[in-house]
Amino acid sequence: MDHVLSSATALSIAHVLAGALVLVSFMMLYQDRLSSVINVLALHAVVLGCAVGWQAYIQHAPALYITAGLALGFKALVIPIALHRIVERFGIHREVEAVGGISLTMLGGIGLVALSMVVMLRTAAHADALAREDVALALSVILLGMLMMVTRRNAVSQIAGFMSLENGLILAAAGAQGMPLVVEISVAFSVLIAFIVIGVFLFRIRERFDTVDSTALDAFRGEAS
Amino acid sequence: MTPIILICAAASLILGGVGGVIARRPAGRMIVYGGSLAIAVVALLAALAQLALGIAPDPLVVLPIGLPHPGASGLGMRFGMDDLAAAFLIIANIGGAAASLFALGYTRHEAEPWRVLPVYPVFLAAMNLVVIAADAYGFLLCWEVMSLASWALVMAHHTEAATRRAGVVYLLMASAGTLALLLCFGLLAGNAGNYAFTAMRAVPRARWMGSAVMMLALLGAGSKAGLVPLHVWLPRAHPAAPSHVSALMSGVMTKVAVYAFIRIAFDLAGPPAWWWGLVVLLAGGMTAVLGVLYALMEDDIKTILAYSTIENIGLIFAGLGLALAFKADGMMAAAALALTAALFHALNHMLFKSTLFFGAGAIQHATGTRDLAQLGGLINRMRVSAVPMLIAALAIAALPPLNGFASEWLLLQAILLSPALPQFGLKLAVPAIGALVALSAAFAAACFVRFYGIAYLGRARGDAAAAAHETDRWSLSAMILLAALCVAAGLLPGFAIDLLAPVTHALLGARVSTQAGLSWLTIVPVALRQNAYDPLLIALFIAISAIMGAFVLRRFGARATRRAPAWGCGYQEFGPPARTLITQYSPSGFAQPIRRVFAGVVLRARDEATLPLPGEAHPARLTLRWSDPAWSLLYAPLIGAIGWLAGQTNRLQFLTIRRYLAFVFMALVALLGWIALWG
């Protein structure tokens, strides 16, 4: 490595950025208004962009700069703005829709972070320290994203959980010596398409049931939630 | 000789395809069964030549299809006929040839021949290929083809609800058995993952793993052979098939299962532990007695024969268990005797059980019923087929000088050698198993006295039996051929023992001493003890005493045959039914003493008689109830548990999206937790 920073400093900065991503995931967990969930999602993408950009810098991998740019462009700007517009059109930006207490969810989240740390220490004890810590934190972000999806009723915040889960995947991939550009672009496209499909579904659900609460779907199937 | 068998199997498969095309033409039947007959005869001669002339087994033939073998020559299913395979090919192809010959005549009245013709040659080919397969992939593939083909043949008469139910039970049991064999071969291949039998023999394995292999082989092969309590499909499926297929399934397919067990337990699993023999002996003894007890309770002639197959499988497995016990203790000569007894009995059972199923098919065709209580007096109307049926019934009842006695005598000789075994468990258990074998032989005699006596002797119990007619020449020739082989194997057991000697030599390194050349064709299997059996002398004695007895009866008894109305116990004036149906022994009446004494506890058999009160006009009725303990103790709880579990799992069909996500999430967290704690 011939860059100016010592490798210890580079590792700490990468660590701080990845840890910040986990922290933002926790922030998302305790939001109880939809518009603030979307704001935190945008922040999440910004932090991801910084983390991936830093990885690009220390690994000398120019392809990763494109990943960072995609994260900042699509996930920090386009998707949050679109989600805001959807929420405002539906008039549900003040809706409270968490399942179970926020404190219980936070405790569960802490447990998940601990679990992913232990798993990585046990399974990847001999791997490169930077990559290992990165993957452990990325796994935490993925698990927290799933927790978000599980503990929310509203389809919009389930999308937010899914997006943050996907951010965790990208963080993991960037830490592991980068990933090929083709894969990255196809992932970005698939996220975009998922967003479009889910958006269309949201409008269809809304048209039919006058709500985007996904329990309405279950009621339509003739079952109690 | 292996290529000949492979070519025969390929010809059978092609014949199956041809059968599919021409099944609806009148000539299709003759082509398929005639072709099967010719192929079976060629394969039989090849196997017989290898065993009788002592030709060394060929090197393995590797076909260019199959699974990749690591470290070996890439793709390739291996086939090879060693002496064990040759012995079972003889059994399979005698049975196949006889069934094809029988079918030439018997299937003339088959309603839907296109359900049988394409599958029948495939079934024969699969049974031949299982026996010569020399790797696990080829073995299991052919085994499954055999199961599926026999299932398709059972379902030939699918319009009857009982047949469809039999098909479902058979399919379930067959797949469970194959699963056991699959796991068994997986353990045998070990970490190297080489599925060729030659590689499996070389793999060193721990004691517990060898034991697990043996138990899985017992489950897998035992479920196909019909070991209690895995037998439940057999008495449903075997009778449901057309009779020539029933004969093949009972006579040959169960022997293929026996072959699978011998191949794994004696050849592939390595040195046995002493308790393997005990487990197999107990399973065999229990199977023998329970099988024949079931047979005594039944009234359907083909079901009786199917249950009797279970009994004979029990005898064969008792012999195999004894051979395993002797082998574990290094008594190879005794092991060779027990194994020879088992193999000889397998051959004999194929001979007489096929004859009996042919006869049952002839009866079903002639009278339209399989209910023993409707039959009677058939010896007067089926004069020719009654003779081979009598011979087969005597043979299966183990009466000298026929072949059933010869093999059971050999088995008892092996049991008499058991006091030399060092383990006390075996010292105690083997004589008890010997007692069970003797008991089952006595029950089998009672069972076939009942079968033959009710069906062929006396007077017709129904109009159908009264109008019966003799069967056709093809069927008769098949029955007579097999009955003649029964007599020949009974009179000349020494030749059969010598024929099987290379098999025991290959598996155990020992053989029963050569029997050819002993005076009067005596057999002396244990030279040391001089226990000899001389079937020719016994046959001569029986013939002379029978002739003398007949002469004395004719000379000093009544001078001439007189014909008079049969005495009807005082009911003559109530018309013909009273004279024939009511006043003769009924099959359930004949079995009543044994039912009362033995089956009351084991099978929960109950007789309930409802007698009319004075003044009531309806007749007295006797209802019999008995249940298979395997169903109530094993299968009913199992089915209940599976049903309960399915009911619980069914709830998962109706969750919210969020709960499905939660399930995925929980599963992921649980797996990660597993890694964190024990990874």
Side-chain angles (χ1 to χ4, degrees), chain B residues 95-118:
Chain B
S100 305
L101 184 61
F102 176 76
L104 279 174
Y106 176 73
T107 56
R108 190 173 298 160
H109 308 282
E110 184 73 49
E112 297 176 310
W114 52 89
R115 294 193 183 279
V116 179
L117 288 179

Side-chain angles (χ1 to χ4, degrees), chain A residues 99 112 115 118-119 122-123 143 146-147 149-150 152 217-218 221 223 225, chain B residues 654-658 661-662 664-665 668-669 672-673 675-679:
Chain A
V99 181
L112 289 177
L115 177 69
V118 176
V119 166
R122 288 197 69 124
T123 53
L143 290 178
M146 288 188 88
L147 187 63
M149 289 178 80
V150 169
R152 300 294 166 124
L217 288 176
D218 306 323
R221 285 201 308 185
E223 296 145 19
S225 65
Chain B
F654 305 101
L655 292 182
T656 62
I657 296 170
R658 202 172 50 73
L661 283 175
V664 174
F665 180 59
L668 182 65
V669 168
L672 286 176
I675 293 174
L677 292 177
W678 294 284

Side-chain angles (χ1 to χ4, degrees), chain B residues 21 72 113 172 187 221 269 283 427 458 466 474 491 494 502 539 590 601 603:
Chain B
V21 177
L172 282 175
L187 282 181
K427 262 191 218 285
W474 295 110
L491 291 181
F590 190 89
V601 181
L603 307 182

Side-chain angles (χ1 to χ4, degrees), chain B residues 231-422:
Chain B
H231 66 285
V232 287
W233 64 274
L234 196 150
R236 296 163 188 267
H238 284 196
S243 287
H244 58 300
V245 179
S246 304
L248 274 183
M249 289 177 75
S250 258
V252 179
M253 192 170 75
T254 55
K255 305 306 172 298
V256 174
V258 170
Y259 161 80
F261 181 75
I262 295 178
R263 175 64 76 197
I264 296 171
F266 284 83
D267 188 8
L268 302 177
W274 71 269
W275 58 267
W276 294 10
L278 190 61
V279 171
V280 181
L281 270 169
L282 288 177
M286 199 171 74
T287 303
V289 172
L290 279 177
V292 72
L293 264 185
Y294 295 137
L296 273 165
M297 302 297 112
E298 263 304 325
D299 279 354
D300 179 315
I301 50 175
K302 284 177 81 175
T303 312
I304 292 175
L305 296 178
Y307 276 126
S308 145
T309 295
I310 296 176
E311 179 231 339
N312 284 281
I313 287 296
L315 295 179
I316 294 169
F317 269 85
L320 295 179
L322 205 56
L324 271 177
F326 284 129
K327 187 188 176 196
D329 288 314
M331 299 163 67
M332 291 304 179
L337 177 61
L339 185 59
T340 306
L343 291 172
F344 190 24
H345 197 70
L347 172 71
N348 291 338
H349 178 242
M350 183 275 297
L351 292 174
F352 45 64
K353 187 51 63 67
S354 298
T355 316
L356 289 167
F357 263 116
F358 295 164
I363 291 175
Q364 185 183 3
H365 181 238
T367 64
T369 180
R370 300 194 325 225
D371 186 3
L372 198 54
Q374 302 288 319
L375 301 174
L378 292 178
I379 198 168
N380 296 316
R381 279 167 294 277
M382 303 176 79
R383 284 170 178 275
V384 185
S385 62
V387 177
M389 282 297 273
L390 179 61
I391 292 172
L394 291 175
I396 201 170
L399 291 185
L402 293 164
N403 57 350
F405 178 80
S407 50
E408 290 191 27
W409 183 82
L410 279 182
L411 180 60
L412 289 170
Q413 290 301 312
I415 287 173
L416 289 178
L417 292 175
S418 68
L421 285 165

